[in-house]
Amino acid sequence: MSERLLPASPNWYCSRSSDTSPKGVFGFGAKSSVYLVNVTAASPVIAGELKGHRERVSGFAFCRYPGQEEICASSSDDGSVKIWDSQKQATLKEHKAHQSTITSLHWSPVVKDLLVSGDEKGIVVCFWHNRNETQSFFPEPRTIFCLSCSPHNENYIAVGYKDGMIVVIDISRKSEVLHRLRGHDDEIHALAWCPQPGEEELLPRAEETAEAEVANGRKVPDGERGCYLASGSKDQTVRVWSTARGKGVMTLKLPFLKRRGLGVDPTVKERLWLTVHWPHTRPTQIISSCFGGELVVWDLTRSGKQKWALLGSSSEGQNHTRIVFNMSSVCMGESRELLISTSMDRDVKCWDLETLDCCWTLPSLGGFVYSLTFSPVDTGSLALGVGDNMIRVWSTLSIQNRYDTKTFWQGIKSKVTALSWHPLKEGHLAFGTDDGKVGIYDSYSNKPPQISSSYHRKTVYTLAWGPPVPPLSFGGEGDRPTVTLYSCAGEGVILQHNPWKLAGEANDIDKVIRDTNGIKHKLSPHTDLSWKPDGEILAIGNEDGSIEILQAPALRLLCSIQQHHKIINVLRWHHEHGSQPDASHLLASGSNNATVYVHNLKSIIETPSDTPVLVTEPYRSLVGHTAKITSLAWSPHHDGRLVSVCYDGTAQVWDVLKEEAICNYRGHRGRLLCVQWSPVDPDLVWTGGDDFTVQEWAVSKQEHTKPPKGKKSIELEKKRGLQPKPKAKKKKKPAGKGHVAGDQGGRGAEEGASEQEEEQEDVPVKTEHTPTTAAVSKEPRCRQPDAIVSEKNRNGGKGFSFVARESLKDEKQREKQAEAPVKKKKPRSILPLSTSMDHRSREDQQRDCLTLAAVRHSQALPSNCVPGSGAHIQLGLFGDRAALYTMFEEEGRSHIEGGHYESLNSLLLWKGDLAGALQVAIEKGELTEHLVAVSPMAGYQVWVRAVEAFVKQLCFQEQYVKAASYLLSVHKVYEAIDLLKSQQLYREAIALAKARLLPEDPVIKNLYTTWAAILERDGHYSNAAKCYLAADSTYDAAKVIAKKGDVMSLKTAAELALIVGENALSNSLALRCARELLTAQDWLGAREVLQAQESLLGHQLVFCTSELLHQCLAGTKLIDWGSASSHGWTVGSGVPFVDAVAVVWEREFGVSSADVDKVKLLHQQVKSVENPAATANIPIKQLLFHLSHDLTLAVLSSVALARGETVTAMLGALTRCRDATHFTLMRELCRLLLPKGMQSVSSLKAQLDHTDTHSIAAVQSLEAFVCYFQLYEMWWNQSNERPSETQPEKAALPQPSVAGLQRDAQNPSEPAAVNGTGPQDTADEEQGAIPTEEGSDTLEEEPCRSQEAMLASACAVLISETHAALQTTRSVIEEIQLRLSSMMQQHLRAAATPEEQQKELHALPESGSEHEATAASQSGASTAESTSLTSLIASVSEYNKQLAEIPEHIKRYPFPDVIECCLVILHMGRDSASALPEDLQRRCLALLHKYGTAASVIKARHKFCA
C-alpha cells in the first residue's frame, strides 16, 4: 500500500462516474478503475482502488441505505455492472444484462438493493442484487444519456435522452411512462431530484414564470404529491420540472461570464457539459456547471441577478479552469455540506457550500508518468513529466496541503518525457518532450518557457546539467555559463544547450569526442547520459549496450564498459557524501535485459590510463527483475542502496555492497517508468508508471523482498491486462450539434494531444496541435511502452457510438450556415497606434492641429512634444522624415509586442532598412518567400544569410524539398543533397546529385549505397539491388536479391551475377537454386538453371544421377516420385546402375571414355564438393542427394576405367546407408549396383589390379556386404518354410548389431527387425521385405546352386578372424576410454584426496591370457582387485599397439559385424533342415569363444544358440 499517490484523471463525458457515500467516501472512475478517497474538510486521503473492469468505467454510485453505505456499484464499457464492497475492495456480484454500451447508472435511494442502468440503445435495466434478478424496460427508442431514481418514490425513474427528451417511468407498472417532459432541444447531461418531497415551497415562484401551462403527460390527481426534478442540457439551460403536473416550472439560462478579460468563445459553448446537483440540505438551491469550469449556485426563491452566485469567487485560482462533468455532496455534521466536483482540468475539488470556498484540490494525472525529479535547491519540490502534455511541480513537504501542486502547460504541445532541475538556480526546470523540444521553465514565474532553437528529431529521453565542454567551455568565467544543459534523444544524439542563449545553435558533443580521441568510425547512437556529481566524469550509454566513461572538459575516453548486450536505458552515479571511500565511484546501469549492473570505476578515474580501458566484469550484478529496466535511483541517505523500476511492474530496493535484495514494491498496475528517493526521508521512495499514477511508499512496510517469479509474475501480467486496451485514433470531427463536445476526450492516443487544447478560452496562447509522434519510443528503447493507452480510456472519453448520427434539423441548420454570405474581415492596420489616435474626440483632434501647426511654423516646439512618439505619435505622419521614422519605431515596437512581425517587416521595407527587416525576420523565425526574394537588394552576403536562415526555418516546418531548392539558389549543392539525405529523402537526393554533380563524384555512390542499406534492412531487396548496381557494387546487388531465398530470387541473382562477371557467386547461387528445385522434384527446372553455368557440368551429372536414382527407387515406398517435371530417362532391368547412368551421360552430356582428360577433370570437380558423413537422423531426401554424389564418383571412375576407385565409391555409398541406419535403402542400393550379386562382385574383382591391396580390400568389403544380405535372406527363407509355425510377415533386413540379436534371443524363431520396427511395421512396405522367387531380382548369384553351397560360400567370406580381431580391439579401446572418462569426471566432482582417488579407481580384471583379459574388458566385469589409473592407460596403449599391427587396408574399409554373423549361422545350424558343415560351426564357435566374450554377446549366445 502506498503512503500517498496522485491518481489517474477522472473519466470524462459521463453523466455519473463519481459519487460520495453518506460516510464521506468519494469514488470516481478513472480509466478502468475506481479510486476511493476519504473526504474531510481539511484534506483528502486515497483509501484504495477497485480493480476488475477491462475497459473504461462509465458509471459509479454508492448505496445510500443505512447500514450499507460501504456497498457501491460501477458500470463499464466492457458491458458489465459490478457490485463492490468498498471497505474490502472486493467484487460482490456482477451482471451483463446490457447488449450495448452502458451510459448511465444510479443506485435507488429508497430500495437498498435496486441498481438501475441505461444504455445507448434505450434499454433500462433494473437489478435487485439481493435476489440476483434483472428486469429490462424500453420506454423510448432513443439514446440514454443519464438517469436518476426518485428519492421519494421507489418506483419512479427519470431518464434523459440525447435528443433532449426526459421521461419519468414507473417500473411497478411495466415501465409505464408517467411524463414526457419536452423543453430541451439538445443532450440531457444530468438529472437531479429535489431532496424534499412535495412542491409546495416552490409553487408560488413557479406560477410566476413564463412557462406554458401545458402538461406533458397524464393528468395527475389532486391528491397525488409530486417532486421537483432538475435537468441540465447542452442547450445551455437548467430546467426545473414538476412531476405532479408533468411540466416545466422554471428555466435557468447560464450566465455569460468573462474571465481574464475575455468573452465566451462560441466553440466553447459547443463543448459545454452542463451537470446539475441538488444539495441534500438545501432544497431551494441547485448547483450547476458553466461554460469554463465555474460552478453556479442558483437560489430558486430569488429572481434577477440575485438568483445565482459563483463558488470560489472570494479569491483567484479556486475555480476549475475547464468544464465540470460530475458533482456529488456529503453532509459533515448537522449543517455543513461538502461538494465534490470533477473536471476536464484533471482536478478533483472539494467545496464548502456554506462559505462557497474551495477546501482542497486533489490533482490527477492524464498520461504516463515518464519522469520524476526532486529539486536539489528547493527541498521537497518534485517535478513530474506526464504524457498529458503538462508538467506538475508537487511541494511534497507542504504541511497544510499534502497535494500542493502547480501545473505548467504553456509552450508544451507533446508528452513531457524528461525533466531536470538546475543544480544552482532555484525554480529553474529543464524539460524535454516527445516531439524533440527542449526548454527551461521558471517555476516561480507565470511566463512561458524558454525554448531551445535546436530541436531533436525524435523523443527526448534524458536531460542533465553539467559543466560546459568545447566550444562552450572556452572563454573566461564571466563569458560562459557555469553549467550547461545536455539532452539525449531517440535519434542517438546528445546536444549541449547554452542556457544563456537557448536561441543559439546547440552543439553535438560527438564532434568533441571524435576530435579528442581521434575516432574515425561512426559512433554508436547514444541513449542515456549521466554526469558524476563532481562534474568531472560523464557516462554515456549507447544503443549497442556499451557504456563510455569520458573525462571533462575535453571528453577524453577513459574506458568502455561492455557489460550489457542490449540498449542502455538508464545510468546513475552514486552520490558523493557517502562514508564508504569507493561508493562515490559506483555507476549503476540498466538496459533492456533484466539485470542491473554496478561498476566500481575508482581506479580508472583516479589513475587513468593512456589508452582507453575495456571493462567486461561488473562490481555487482543485481538479478531479480524479469523485464526491461527503465529507471534507477541511489538513496541519498545510505551507502550503496539502490532502487530500480522495471517493466515487470515492480520497484526493487537493493543493498549493492552486499548484493542483496531488500524489498519489492508491487502497488502499481502497469509498467514502471521512473523512480526517485525522497531527499528528506530515508524510508520513502516515489515511483511513476503507465498506470497514470505517482505513488509514495515506505521501504520498511513492504512484505515482499524480491520481484515476483512464476505464478506471481503471471498474476501481475493479468493485473496489467485488466487495463484498457489501446483503441485506434479517430479523426476529430468539427464541433457542432449532434456531436459530443470536444470529441469526448478521445482526441489522441494514450497521451496524445493534451486536452488542455480543447478549451481555448482558458489558454488563449495554446493552439490546436496533433503530435506526429504517436508514442514515446526509443526505437527500440524500453521507455516506450509496448502499447499506447487510448486517451478515450484514460479520460473516460469514449465517444458515444451514436454521435455520428445527426438529426435532419442539424443538417438543415448547417446547410443554411454554409449558404449564408461570409462577412469579410477588415484587414489589420499596419499603423495601429497612430490610427487609434484618430478615433479620439473632436476636441483632442483639434488640439493636434494646433500642435502640428506649431511644429511646422514655429521655431520653438511645444513642451513635451516629440512628433511621432508617445502621445503625439499620430503627428509623425504629418511631420518630417525624422518624425515619420520615429513613428515607425514606435509602431514597430508595438508590432513586436503583439507578435505581428509581418507588419514590422513592411515598415522596415518602407523605411528602406531591408537588412533590418531581414534580421528581425531571421531572429523571430518569420522569414517569408517575399523577403528572401528581395534580399539580394541588400547585397550578396545578406542574401546568402537570408537564404540559409530561411532554409533552417523551412526545415523546422518539415518542408525539406523546398529548403533544398533554396540552397541550390545560393550554389550550395552538397548542402542541399546532405539535407535531403538527412531526412531520408534518398530518391530526391539522388536525382539532385545526378543532375548537378559529375558522374564520378563519390557523393552519388555514397547515396546509392546508403539508400541500398536502408532498403535492404526494410526488406525491399529489388530496389536495393538497383541501388547497388547503380553504385557499381555488383556483388552486393546479386547477394541482396538472393537474400529472400526463394527459387525465383535465387535464379535472378544467379543470372545477374553471371551478367556482371561474378562467376563464383553465380555458380554458388545457381547451385542453391537447383537444390531448391530438386527438393520440389523439379528436375527440368534444376537442369535449366545449371545449364546456364558452363563450369557446373559436374554438378549437372550429380543431379542427373539423383534423378535416375529416384526413378529406380520409385517402385518402393522409400520416396514419393513425381514425374511431372522429369526427363523421362530410363534404366534397363538387370543392367548395373553404374553402366545405365554412363549411357545417359554419354547421350545427354557427351561424357564418355573417349575423353579421359575431361572425365578426370569432372571427377576432380565433383570430389572437391563437400559431402559430409551421414548420421542416424538425416532426412531421406538429403541422404539420397549425398548418395547421388557418391554414385556420381563411381560412374566417373568407371568411365575413366579406374576400377579401384569405382569399387571404393560404391562401397562408400553402401557405408553411408549403414551409418544412416537405413538398411532397406542399403539393400535396394546393393540390388541396383550389383544386380547379379556375387557374380557382379566377381566381375568387378576380375577387373582389378591384384597388386593394389587397397582395391582388393575394398572389393572384399563389398563382397562381404553382399554375403551379409544373402545370409539374412536364407535365414528368412528358413523361417518361412517351417510347417509347424505360423509364417511371420516379411520384414526388412535387421540392424547389424549384437543388440538386435539380444532382442531376438527372446524369440529365436523370428529374425530381427530394422531400427526397432517389428515385422508388422515393415511388412506394409511393398519393397521393404526380402523378395521371394516370384518377385523381382534377388541377391542370388547362381539360381542353380544349392542352399548349402550358397550358405557355405557366404560364411567363408563373413567368418574373417582378422576383422573379428579388429572389431573386438576397437570395442575394447572404446570401452576403456569411456571408463577413463567416467573416472576422471568422478574425480573432479569429488575433489578427494589422493588416497580416496585410488579407492574410486576400478581396474580391468587380470587373467592368465591375453584373450581372457579382452573378454573381461568387454563384459565389464570387475574383481575385488583394483588397479591404478596408470594400468588403465597402459592397457589402452597395449591395445593400440595390437591395432597398429593390423594392415591399414583392412582397417580402412568397413566390414559386417563378424560376431553377429557367427550368432546367426549357429542359430541356423540348430535346425535340422539346414545342413551346415560342422567345420563351419566349429569355426564360428571358436571365434565366439575367442572374441565374443563380452557380457552382451555371451548372453545372446546362450539364449540365441542354445
Side-chain angles (χ1 to χ4, degrees), residues 41-56:
S43 64
V45 177
I46 304 295
E49 182 182 2
L50 305 180
K51 312 167 190 176
H53 287 296
R54 292 179 287 104
E55 294 184 31
R56 181 196 71 142

Side-chain angles (χ1 to χ4, degrees), residues 1420-1435:
S1422 60
T1423 63
E1425 184 178 354
S1426 300
T1427 59
S1428 64
L1429 181 63
T1430 307
S1431 63
L1432 286 177
I1433 297 174
S1435 298

Side-chain angles (χ1 to χ4, degrees), residues 388-584:
D388 57 7
N389 307 1
M390 289 189 283
I391 300 172
R392 276 92 165 168
V393 177
W394 186 358
S395 298
T396 59
L397 301 182
S398 174
I399 299 176
Q400 295 181 349
N401 185 0
R402 300 180 74 236
Y403 294 94
D404 183 14
T405 60
K406 190 175 182 181
T407 303
F408 302 90
W409 50 262
Q410 295 187 53
I412 305 175
K413 298 180 180 180
S414 185
K415 298 179 275 289
V416 181
T417 54
L419 295 172
S420 181
W421 289 98
H422 195 288
L424 303 175
K425 292 184 179 180
E426 185 176 5
H428 281 238
L429 176 65
F431 68 92
T433 65
D434 177 39
D435 58 5
K437 184 185 297 184
V438 175
I440 300 177
Y441 249 114
D442 184 355
S443 62
Y444 295 123
S445 169
N446 292 325
K447 296 180 180 179
Q450 304 176 58
I451 304 297
S452 173
S453 62
S454 299
Y455 278 38
H456 286 282
R457 286 185 285 111
K458 292 187 179 181
T459 302
V460 179
Y461 294 134
T462 305
L463 293 174
W465 295 90
V469 301
L472 292 183
S473 61
F474 301 143
E477 289 293 330
D479 300 331
R480 57 182 174 86
T482 56
V483 291
T484 57
L485 179 62
Y486 297 83
S487 61
C488 179
E491 71 269 25
V493 175
I494 297 177
L495 297 180
Q496 177 186 211
H497 306 265
N498 186 346
W500 291 0
K501 300 177 181 178
L502 283 181
E505 188 73 18
N507 304 305
D508 187 345
I509 69 170
D510 276 1
K511 185 177 184 304
V512 182
I513 297 174
R514 288 175 177 273
D515 295 343
T516 301
N517 301 282
I519 298 175
K520 303 298 182 184
H521 60 81
K522 180 182 178 182
L523 296 177
S524 177
H526 308 309
T527 56
D528 199 67
L529 78 153
S530 178
W531 280 98
K532 199 168 181 293
D534 59 10
E536 296 179 0
I537 302 297
L538 173 65
I540 295 178
N542 298 319
E543 190 174 277
D544 60 4
S546 63
I547 302 172
E548 296 167 349
I549 308 300
L550 304 111
Q551 187 177 41
L555 299 185
R556 182 169 76 90
L557 182 61
L558 299 181
C559 76
S560 178
I561 301 174
Q562 301 287 344
Q563 194 67 53
H564 296 276
H565 301 293
K566 294 185 179 180
I567 187 171
I568 300 297
N569 293 327
V570 57
L571 296 171
R572 291 292 182 269
W573 288 97
H574 195 281
H575 56 80
E576 294 287 321
H577 50 272
S579 59
Q580 297 287 338
D582 296 344
S584 62

Side-chain angles (χ1 to χ4, degrees), residues 1174-1216:
T1175 60
N1177 298 320
I1178 186 172
I1180 183 65
K1181 290 185 178 181
Q1182 186 176 352
L1183 176 60
L1184 288 174
F1185 186 77
H1186 291 169
L1187 288 174
S1188 302
H1189 186 276
D1190 294 334
L1191 296 177
T1192 302
L1193 291 175
V1195 179
L1196 286 171
S1197 301
S1198 177
V1199 174
L1201 303 179
R1203 303 301 182 185
E1205 294 184 4
T1206 302
V1207 173
T1208 303
M1210 293 168 62
L1211 181 61
L1214 293 175
T1215 305
R1216 186 178 298 277

Side-chain angles (χ1 to χ4, degrees), residues 887-946:
M887 183 185 73
F888 280 3
E889 292 176 0
E890 290 274 349
E891 296 282 5
R893 283 192 289 270
S894 173
H895 289 317
I896 291 175
E897 293 176 359
H900 307 298
Y901 300 108
E902 186 176 353
S903 300
L904 173 63
N905 291 332
S906 298
L907 289 177
L908 292 174
L909 288 175
W910 290 356
K911 190 177 176 181
D913 187 6
L914 178 58
L918 290 171
Q919 184 63 33
V920 171
I922 290 172
E923 290 178 356
K924 302 301 181 181
E926 296 289 338
L927 273 174
T928 63
E929 294 186 15
H930 169 69
L931 284 176
V932 177
V934 301
S935 60
M937 298 169 57
Y940 178 77
Q941 296 298 331
V942 175
W943 172 49
V944 172
R945 189 166 62 252

Side-chain angles (χ1 to χ4, degrees), residues 10-67:
N11 293 335
W12 297 355
Y13 299 105
C14 299
S15 62
R16 192 195 308 272
S17 64
S18 65
D19 197 10
T20 309
S21 75
K23 289 188 175 181
V25 178
F26 173 68
F28 63 91
K31 297 174 62 181
S32 60
S33 302
V34 175
Y35 286 91
L36 303 176
V37 183
N38 288 329
V39 176
T40 63
S43 64
V45 177
I46 304 295
E49 182 182 2
L50 305 180
K51 312 167 190 176
H53 287 296
R54 292 179 287 104
E55 294 184 31
R56 181 196 71 142
V57 173
S58 58
F60 179 78
F62 274 99
C63 176
R64 298 194 171 275
Y65 197 84

Side-chain angles (χ1 to χ4, degrees), residues 169-187:
I169 64 174
D170 186 345
I171 61 175
S172 66
R173 301 179 181 178
K174 297 183 179 180
S175 70
E176 178 184 354
V177 176
L178 301 178
H179 304 289
R180 286 183 173 87
L181 307 176
R182 297 179 177 91
H184 292 294
D185 58 4
D186 212 335
E187 303 156 0

